[in-house]
Amino acid sequence: MFENLGEMLIFFWRTVKMLPQVWRQRRKVMDQLFEIGNASLLMACVLSLFIGGVLALQTGPVLVDRGLSSVIGGIVGLSMCKELAPVMMAVLIAGRIGSAMAAEIGSMQVYQEIDALRTMNIDPISYLVLPRLVAISSALPLLVIFSILVGWIGGALVCVYNHNIGVSFHSYFANLRQTVELGDFINGLFKSWVFAVVIGIVSCHQGLLTAGGPRGIGLSVTKAVVNSLVLILILDYFLTRVLISI
Amino acid sequence: MTASSPTQYGVDVQVRGLQKSYAGQPVLQGIDLEVAAGEIFVIMGPSGSGKSVLLKHIAGLETPDAGEILIAGHPIKSAGSLNHYRLAMVFQSGALLNSLSVGENVGLYLSEHRIKPQAEIDRIVKQTLEQVGLKGIENRNPAEISGGMKKRVAIARALVTEPQLILYDEPTSELDPLIAVTITEEILRLKRQFSVTSMIVTHDRSLAFGVADRIAMISDGRILFVGLPGEVKANPNPMIQKFLTAKFDQEKERKTI
Ligand SMILES: Nc1ncnc2c1ncn2[C@@H]1O[C@H](COP(=O)(O)OP(=O)(O)O)[C@@H](O)[C@H]1O
Ligand SMILES: [Mg+2]
């Protein structure tokens, strides 16, 4: 996959150059946004609720034992913001939306729809890739905001109702508000935006590379998802490293 | 891509020494062709001989390993150089966009390039679909219509662009004989009315001999012969004769049983 990295950067650049045309493609952007929301909102809600919950469940009893129950809110709050929400939502979107993008564009490639576009002098990048990239890179950060809020609530519920923890709603959120700053929020959103671009570019690029009939489509989907995930997790480390030192 | 004039003129096509291999497997092994403006040029040959690959090269969808293609005197480099002429291709499978309705497919070129207002596009789409014998299917999805209908929609989509060069890949396969005749007439009308250049890949002998100004026989990525329909029929090459006269031999079949 790494041999394609340069190619994907060029592909990204070519898409960015098309940005002035985004207004013309606004209907397709809206369609994509709707699809992303439709496919992922419920899943995002369930995932985030449980991630926030399990985070509280893992850290709560240990902290309570050491008399640190007052910091649970901050720990759940920060972890959701800076790490868990961006990464988990990126994984969800890579699986649900990245795969769909690779499959759709891949089948268009296999069934010569892309060739047909090109003979009509319609650039597949502005027609297919641009709306998808714009949609995913605006939808994922929004989804992450939603996920953070739901995750906080998940953590709070566990803190209140788990008898090994027993921290009140009030003290949980008081600590959370004290600890989490706007910068942490933005930190997570920035990461998720980078992840969104990775998913969009990897999936569309892979879709366009599809060859070898219907079997090739399946192969492209797998590659798109796996490559996105690997890139996301590697980038996550380095982005965190850079963001911490700012 | 400004508005097109009502009268259009065909463009000439020159193919010189065209070679292409896929994964070391030679598919086109030095093709030379000259197609005059306004000519109907038919390409015949066995399956797998490279006919579709040749058309794709002319459409600018593939890059040759060697050789060059000139359309209206301009070398083609990519589909982007379509600005010098308008080209349309009717793909073997139709290649309609599955995410769009039939009407949106036919009007795609006009709507994407903002050539005409939407009401005008709707009118043109309706009229062009009627022309190919498909009235009132604008709102259907490509997935809901038969293979033959898809092919006619693809032809309508090509006509809407008012092309100067149309490439047809097996336009009458999958069509019943009556519809095939409609397509044949349509190809002739385009020549008569707009002197469009047409290149047609086909196995359909009645289409070929019905419309062709000249016929090229291709086999294994090489041109065997180019000539007038009569000359092709009279050509002694056994391969050509076998291809042109192939029919089910009942006697032989009985003897082998
Ligand atoms: N993109 C491709 N990759 C690899 N092989 C190809 C490709 N396109 C065509 N071929 C091969 O080229 C040969 C000619 O194909 P084609 O032009 O489609 O034949 P036909 O004359 O029946 O239209 C076939 O053997 C086909 O397998
Ligand atoms: Mg073919």
Side-chain angles (χ1 to χ4, degrees), chain B residues 18-21 26-31 49-50 53-54 57 218 221:
Chain B
L18 188 65
Q19 291 180 25
K20 180 74 175 182
S21 356
V27 172
L28 299 181
Q29 318 194 43
I31 301 270
S49 54
V53 171
L54 172 61
H57 276 85
I218 181 173

Side-chain angles (χ1 to χ4, degrees), chain B residues 144-159:
Chain B
E144 300 167 358
I145 61 178
S146 72
M149 285 162 97
K150 274 184 201 163
K151 196 156 279 175
R152 280 184 284 160
V153 173
I155 292 174
R157 183 172 69 180
L159 297 184

Side-chain angles (χ1 to χ4, degrees), chain A residues 1-2 4-5 7-9 11-12 15 94 97-99 101-103 105-106 129 133 136 194-210 219-232 235:
Chain A
M1 67 172 276
F2 293 104
N4 278 342
L5 232 46
E7 224 176 275
M8 279 190 279
L9 279 175
F11 186 69
F12 177 51
T15 314
I97 304 302
S99 60
M101 287 179 177
I105 295 181
V129 181
L133 191 68
I136 199 174
V194 175
F195 297 160
V197 169
V198 168
I199 297 169
I201 288 299
V202 170
S203 306
C204 293
H205 183 249
Q206 192 60 53
L208 287 174
L209 284 185
T210 305
L219 213 65
S220 274
V221 170
T222 314
K223 267 193 186 166
V225 174
V226 171
N227 289 357
S228 301
L229 291 183
V230 171
L231 272 180
I232 284 169
L235 270 177

Side-chain angles (χ1 to χ4, degrees), chain A residues 24 112-113 119-121, chain B residues 56 82 96 112-114:
Chain A
R24 288 179 72 171
Q112 294 193 303
E113 292 177 31
T119 59
M120 286 186 273
N121 223 358
Chain B
K56 278 194 191 169
L82 288 175
L96 302 180
E112 272 304 302
H113 293 293
R114 310 268 161 130

Side-chain angles (χ1 to χ4, degrees), chain B residues 14 16 29 40 42 46 56 62 64 67-68 84 87 94 101 105 114 129 140-141 147 150 165 185 194 225 235 244 250:
Chain B
Q14 296 172 338
R16 293 186 190 143
Q29 318 194 43
I40 298 183
V42 169
K56 278 194 191 169
E62 298 271 351
E68 62 172 353
H84 296 298
L87 169 152
S101 71
N105 261 290
R114 310 268 161 130
L129 278 171
R140 305 267 286 276
N141 283 323
K150 274 184 201 163
L165 169 63
E185 284 166 354
F194 306 113
F225 183 77
N235 192 286
L244 290 183
Q250 234 173 13

